[in-house]
Amino acid sequence: MEKSKIKSFFSYFENKFKKKKFKLYSRSSPKNSEIKNVNTNSSSNSTSKIINYVKGLLEEHGNEIHSEFFKSPEEPAKLTIDEYGDSTWTGYGESSMSAYDTAWLAMVPNKAYKESAVAEEFSLAFPKCFKWLFDYQDEFGGWCNVRGAGAITPVLAGLSALCHFRTCSGAFFEQKLSEIGISIKQFYDVINKATEFARVTLNEWNINDIDLVGLEIIIPYHLNALKKSYPAIEFEFPEKQKLLKANERKLSLIPLEAIFKMAKMRQPISLIYSLEAFSDVIDFSRVQNEGFQALNGSYGSSAAATAAVLIHAKQWDDKAYSFLENILQVPPTRFGYVPSVSDIGIFESAWVLHSIGDLILKLKKKNITDQELFSKNMAFAQYLQAILKFQGGKIRWISWDSRIPADVDDTAVSKWIVRQFDSKSEFNLDVLMKTFYNDNHFITFPALLLLEYERAKLQGNPSITVPVITKTGLTQQVKLKQVILNVIKFLMAQRTKNFVWLDKWNKSPSYTTFKVIDILLSLISHPELLEELNLSVNELKEFCRKSIDWALNTQHEDESWGEPSSISQGNMEETSYIIRLLKTGIMNWPEDMNIHNSLRKGQNYLMSHLDEAMCDPKFFYDKQPFLWIGKQMYTVPRIIKAAMLVAAYEE
């Protein structure tokens, strides 16, 4: 296939979004729950509370990775590569359950039907997932308790599961339903309600509303499957032709034969994560090999992708079935039985420690020391350093599956953490640049690049160079300074007309905006870079101030920010991001009382709900919106908790 097609394929499917047998999802925080409430009116008491919560969060997280994590953090890093051959490894990390993936498991037939295709022998491999669709349909008619674009993939997958059951059971439909404990009336009540909700939602949908992972592939697949099912369900909606054209374009960019060749050579492939979307264009028997399937039986760390192989491949897959059985060992929730990603391990570790590392640097500036906290933080730095070593300097967002390609954000953030807390660690930008820089922009936020540039300047080597692969495929040495300038220009050009930045992996503009503004304003300490950008300090500040004013103008009356939650006009996650944005604002406009007042109110709001957020295991599932973007919207409680704690700290 043409190189351009292969390149386009990787561009489209690049995604992040993540020993002994571990619990997959921690539903409680025992260490945090034991912390008694302290008087938050005292700054020192507030700092002490935050430090205790951070230590509890790190201990909970580390113990889930490995029972001896804090004694030997390098040891579990070995389990991230196949050479150690741990087929029982199911990963770690806490994320919300997925109605979309649960619906896929609800379609998996039993082994006997798979081998005979006789309707009389039809039954479900995971009947409790099918039953979940009846027990947990929400008031709207979907399965994720929200309206709008974020509800589309779960409701279409749920409908597909219902129709698949009707099609496979044939003349034995009523009998097979009865065996699961569902009446005919229940079945048609649920399917009719879901169909109407899907119809209304699709009619109101603007395809640009939200960029769900692989939506141009996943949604058309389900629309087609429903059209061919019994009963047949067909949807017409304003954006349909636009969606189908996008689907045709994306499929034309995916070199399937080249992908099979890559799998044969054991080269990582992003497509595995969304494998189910190709159920009608791929012979799934061709993916039943070690090039696609992880040691533990999963495909792409995805319950949906793994279920699709069991449904569509000609041969039954015992390893895939066992994997799904293993990750089903959680109680059902109103959001499903299984998560979108069964393992968000390295993603969670990197982003928890990114926030915690920022907090520790702030504590050190104030000469506040806590050896237990610093020791736990250092253990994670050593863990990430070991992972970088075992994975050749670039890491994935999930812990165990080497079939998933390296991820730029998690690689860069992990390197930042290691570099901040172990300055003597081995470090080489070359791998990062060759893998993730395209001669125009670095495919992540450039904090790591600036950190290395600062170090080079201190060492008297501001002209440090890095290898860059040009558009012609040649490698040439380019000054790191020029790479940074290119990235800054790219970032500044991406600002929206509302003075914010948007991100593919988090719905909230506050998430990306606070990170970009922090980077841009840090350029004030690099006048030589501003000169090359033809920007004065005042011009840079004027550019950034518009985003600060956006934050000041969007604070709710109850002192929060963001989408509504069940406890507030806004929510804790977005409020935390805006607080960090305003902290950067105060550093640059120290006399501006509007920023001070807004920040104080925001921190009051954060502190008033901090204990509940840290101690209630259901808080981020029942009381806060899901803002992270995957195949459906999801939440990552530990990452949000870490962001809250650094925001709550009063500098």
Side-chain angles (χ1 to χ4, degrees):
M1 297 294 287
E2 295 175 2
K3 288 184 178 179
S4 60
K5 286 192 175 183
I6 297 174
K7 182 177 179 182
S8 297
F9 159 71
F10 280 119
S11 174
Y12 172 60
F13 279 97
E14 182 75 86
N15 54 59
K16 290 189 186 308
F17 287 124
K18 316 209 147 18
K19 280 171 181 173
K20 203 175 156 174
K21 243 181 172 178
F22 305 100
K23 284 192 312 177
L24 284 175
Y25 319 104
S26 174
R27 293 296 188 187
S28 62
S29 305
K31 294 293 180 182
N32 292 342
S33 302
E34 295 168 5
I35 299 175
K36 296 180 180 178
N37 293 346
V38 227
N39 180 4
T40 58
N41 293 325
S42 163
S43 179
S44 60
N45 282 344
S46 174
T47 298
S48 176
K49 168 186 277 197
I50 290 167
I51 289 174
N52 284 337
Y53 273 138
V54 171
K55 288 190 290 190
L57 179 63
L58 293 183
E59 183 169 351
E60 173 192 303
H61 183 40
N63 287 340
E64 187 182 31
I65 296 172
H66 196 282
S67 59
E68 301 292 318
F69 179 83
F70 294 104
K71 292 182 180 178
S72 180
E74 296 90 350
E75 195 63 26
K78 294 178 181 178
L79 295 173
T80 66
I81 57 175
D82 282 358
E83 282 77 356
Y84 286 83
D86 188 351
S87 61
T88 65
W89 176 279
T90 50
Y92 66 93
E94 182 181 7
S95 68
S96 53
M97 300 293 101
S98 165
Y100 171 81
D101 290 77
T102 299
W104 269 96
L105 266 69
M107 290 186 258
V108 179
N110 67 352
K111 188 174 183 179
Y113 176 80
K114 183 72 182 175
E115 294 173 347
S116 71
V118 175
E120 190 173 4
E121 294 186 358
F122 172 72
S123 67
L124 296 172
F126 308 108
K128 62 182 181 180
C129 292
F130 187 76
K131 185 71 162 53
W132 179 90
L133 295 171
F134 294 83
D135 295 338
Y136 287 90
Q137 187 176 35
D138 61 42
E139 59 179 314
F140 310 122
W143 285 278
C144 58
N145 209 43
V146 296
R147 293 181 180 272
I152 293 175
T153 54
V155 73
L156 291 181
L159 278 171
S160 293
L162 296 172
C163 291
H164 188 261
F165 185 95
R166 180 69 183 89
T167 302
C168 294
S169 57
F172 301 91
F173 170 55
E174 188 171 352
Q175 173 192 330
K176 300 299 181 181
L177 269 184
S178 178
E179 289 172 0
I180 302 176
I182 299 168
S183 69
I184 293 286
K185 183 181 184 304
Q186 281 179 293
F187 180 87
Y188 282 109
D189 283 348
V190 168
I191 199 171
N192 290 338
K193 188 177 179 181
T195 301
E196 181 58 24
F197 175 61
R199 196 177 307 282
V200 170
T201 305
L202 287 167
N203 277 324
E204 295 175 349
W205 181 35
N206 177 339
I207 197 171
N208 298 318
D209 276 353
I210 192 167
D211 192 11
L212 294 166
V213 171
L215 70 84
E216 303 98 326
I217 309 292
I218 289 173
I219 294 177
Y221 166 75
H222 284 289
L223 293 175
N224 190 46
L226 289 168
K227 184 179 177 180
K228 295 188 295 185
S229 68
Y230 178 72
I233 301 175
E234 187 168 3
F235 295 102
E236 297 296 336
F237 50 96
E239 296 278 78
K240 186 173 182 178
Q241 291 308 311
K242 184 177 179 181
L243 175 68
L244 294 179
K245 286 181 181 178
N247 172 258
E248 185 179 352
R249 183 176 66 85
K250 292 297 183 183
L251 286 174
S252 71
L253 296 174
I254 302 173
L256 292 177
E257 289 306 315
I259 289 169
F260 286 118
K261 289 179 181 177
M262 291 166 60
K264 192 172 183 179
M265 296 184 288
R266 296 294 301 277
Q267 294 183 18
I269 305 166
S270 295
L271 174 142
I272 301 175
Y273 173 65
S274 301
L275 200 58
E276 75 278 5
F278 300 88
S279 297
D280 52 2
V281 296
I282 288 179
D283 176 359
F284 271 45
S285 300
R286 297 182 69 188
V287 306
Q288 290 179 298
N289 55 66
E290 292 183 353
F292 287 93
Q293 189 174 32
L295 293 179
N296 66 356
S298 85
Y299 291 84
S301 187
S302 166
T306 306
V309 175
L310 280 168
I311 296 166
H312 295 291
K314 295 173 184 176
Q315 299 295 320
W316 181 257
D317 192 324
D318 286 324
K319 287 177 63 179
Y321 174 79
S322 296
F323 167 76
L324 294 176
E325 278 278 274
N326 287 338
I327 65 169
L328 273 171
Q329 306 308 310
V330 292
T333 72
R334 65 175 177 172
F335 302 114
Y337 257 114
V338 291
S340 291
V341 186
S342 67
D343 171 16
I344 60 166
I346 298 175
F347 165 52
E348 183 179 76
S349 294
W351 292 96
V352 165
L353 268 294
H354 192 211
S355 292
I356 299 307
D358 189 25
L359 174 61
I360 288 175
L361 293 175
K362 295 178 188 301
L363 293 173
K364 285 184 174 181
K365 281 185 179 179
K366 282 197 170 183
N367 294 318
I368 299 174
T369 59
D370 186 299
Q371 290 307 315
E372 182 186 357
L373 171 61
F374 292 176
S375 174
K376 289 184 186 304
N377 177 74
M378 196 63 210
F380 276 98
Q382 292 168 355
Y383 172 61
L384 293 172
Q385 172 72 340
I387 291 176
L388 285 164
K389 176 183 175 182
F390 282 117
Q391 296 189 17
K394 49 186 180 180
I395 62 178
R396 307 178 300 273
W397 50 281
I398 61 176
S399 63
W400 46 257
D401 189 357
S402 64
R403 290 132 193 91
I404 296 295
D407 176 76
V408 60
D409 287 343
D410 298 300
T411 299
V413 168
S414 297
K415 285 179 178 283
W416 179 88
I417 294 164
V418 171
R419 202 63 161 153
Q420 289 284 13
F421 298 102
D422 185 5
S423 59
K424 295 180 180 179
S425 62
E426 292 183 10
F427 188 82
N428 189 336
L429 272 175
D430 291 7
V431 173
L432 201 66
M433 297 305 302
K434 289 179 179 178
T435 308
F436 301 119
Y437 182 67
N438 72 351
D439 206 18
N440 176 37
H441 59 273
F442 190 60
I443 316 171
T444 187
F445 301 118
L448 179 66
L449 302 184
L450 281 170
L451 178 62
E452 290 309 300
Y453 179 66
E454 289 169 0
R455 289 179 181 275
K457 282 172 62 178
L458 288 173
Q459 294 169 2
N461 184 25
S463 298
I464 180 176
T465 63
V466 291
V468 171
I469 300 177
T470 66
K471 293 177 181 179
T472 61
L474 298 175
T475 300
Q476 65 181 29
Q477 291 296 125
V478 176
K479 288 184 179 180
L480 178 58
K481 181 171 76 170
Q482 187 57 52
V483 172
I484 292 171
L485 292 171
N486 289 349
V487 172
I488 296 299
K489 291 174 186 176
F490 174 81
L491 284 177
M492 293 180 74
Q494 301 308 305
R495 189 174 71 174
T496 72
K497 62 182 180 181
N498 296 321
F499 311 115
V500 299
W501 282 262
L502 303 176
D503 184 68
K504 181 177 175 63
W505 305 110
N506 191 290
K507 185 179 178 182
S508 173
S510 58
Y511 173 75
T512 316
T513 301
F514 97 80
K515 290 179 176 291
V516 176
I517 292 299
D518 190 52
I519 289 294
L520 293 180
L521 288 173
S522 71
L523 296 175
I524 293 173
S525 60
H526 300 287
E528 75 284 4
L529 295 179
L530 286 180
E531 184 178 354
E532 299 242 16
L533 290 166
N534 199 26
L535 276 176
S536 67
V537 170
N538 287 338
E539 287 171 331
L540 175 68
K541 292 181 69 174
E542 183 181 349
F543 180 88
C544 294
R545 179 62 201 227
K546 290 181 171 65
S547 299
I548 301 293
D549 289 338
W550 164 80
L552 298 178
N553 293 330
T554 54
Q555 189 169 23
H556 299 302
E557 290 182 3
D558 67 355
E559 303 178 338
S560 68
W561 279 275
E563 289 189 11
S565 66
S566 66
I567 65 167
S568 175
Q569 293 173 322
N571 60 79
M572 295 286 276
E573 181 176 357
E574 291 182 275
T575 298
S576 299
Y577 300 148
I578 297 294
I579 286 173
R580 295 170 76 178
L581 173 63
L582 295 183
K583 285 182 177 183
T584 299
I586 281 179
M587 291 172 60
N588 291 275
W589 292 274
E591 306 302 322
D592 191 320
M593 294 311 298
N594 287 330
I595 303 178
H596 281 277
N597 291 335
S598 184
L599 175 60
R600 175 181 51 79
K601 291 177 182 178
Q603 287 192 303
N604 286 342
Y605 171 84
L606 204 61
M607 291 303 297
S608 69
H609 296 287
L610 186 66
D611 290 326
E612 183 184 11
M614 295 301 296
C615 300
D616 179 358
K618 295 183 178 179
F619 185 83
F620 290 103
Y621 302 96
D622 295 341
K623 299 180 181 179
Q624 299 288 285
F626 290 9
L627 299 175
W628 291 79
I629 300 171
K631 297 173 189 176
Q632 74 165 65
M633 305 302 295
Y634 69 103
T635 189
V636 279
R638 288 186 186 135
I639 293 174
I640 301 170
K641 288 177 182 179
M644 283 168 35
L645 291 168
V646 66
Y649 173 63
E650 295 181 25
E651 298 176 45

